[in-house]
Amino acid sequence: MSDNYLTVIPVDPYWQPSKDAAGRAAAVLSGMLPDDDARRGLEAKWHDSVEVVDCGANLERISCPHCAAELTTDWWAAAVSERYDAGFPTLLGRVPCCGVEMSLNALVYDWPMGFARFRIEVPCPDRAWLTDEELASLADALGHPLRQILVHT
Ligand SMILES: [Zn+2]
């Protein structure tokens, strides 16, 4: 059985909201869902350390924002697990294509994914991407810009 999730994460991987701000954002997101079935599973989650918020089977390509070269998933997985083992004190690394140092969170993920210590997750959202306007009003409620991720497992 396959599952779909709509997940929003702060643009800054280390940032966490207050409970109040998270509650406001969750309420706003809830209002963007089509029905109670979709709303039922909505959940705000805090993580002690940074977690990978991947898009599952939706991932088609990872590329370098500096030189646009495609990065292999083997390189990416090794870079992530090295930092994961250390508890993600940093996401910085040197890309193999052009040698520029950058955050793993800054790579170009198609479809989007990222890293976060906070997320709001909706299983079976029964809708497509949030519009730019919706994402902006959600970010206003949370007090921090957001990235959205559609997960297909
Ligand atoms: Zn590059």
Side-chain angles (χ1 to χ4, degrees):
M1 205 184 114
S2 71
D3 279 311
N4 290 294
Y5 288 82
L6 170 64
T7 304
V8 291
I9 60 172
V11 166
D12 176 345
Y14 292 91
W15 189 85
Q16 290 183 310
S18 66
K19 292 267 182 205
D20 284 356
R24 280 194 299 275
V28 170
L29 181 56
S30 180
M32 295 169 181
L33 298 174
D35 54 40
D36 285 344
D37 277 349
R39 285 182 196 108
R40 192 168 300 132
L42 185 149
E43 195 180 356
K45 293 181 175 174
W46 282 261
H47 307 293
D48 290 337
S49 60
V50 165
E51 299 215 336
V52 183
V53 184
D54 72 49
C55 59
N58 285 338
L59 182 66
E60 289 172 2
R61 190 172 197 269
I62 302 171
S63 53
C64 171
H66 186 71
C67 74
E70 183 162 357
L71 299 162
T72 66
T73 48
D74 284 351
W75 174 83
W76 184 84
V80 169
S81 67
E82 199 176 288
R83 284 158 191 77
Y84 176 86
D85 290 344
F88 279 122
T90 179
L91 289 167
L92 285 177
R94 209 166 279 286
V95 287
C97 42
C98 56
V100 171
E101 189 178 54
M102 65 183 74
S103 168
L104 291 173
N105 198 49
L107 300 176
V108 180
Y109 295 101
D110 180 15
W111 299 12
M113 47 189 268
F115 298 81
R117 292 178 64 217
F118 173 78
R119 71 175 93 184
I120 305 176
E121 184 171 88
V122 184
C124 308
D126 199 22
R127 61 158 292 159
W129 299 100
L130 301 172
T131 65
D132 290 348
E133 290 75 20
E134 286 175 323
L135 198 61
S137 64
L138 202 50
D140 272 354
L142 190 68
H144 192 91
L146 289 164
R147 180 185 295 188
Q148 62 175 322
I149 295 162
L150 281 181
V151 188
H152 183 72
T153 58

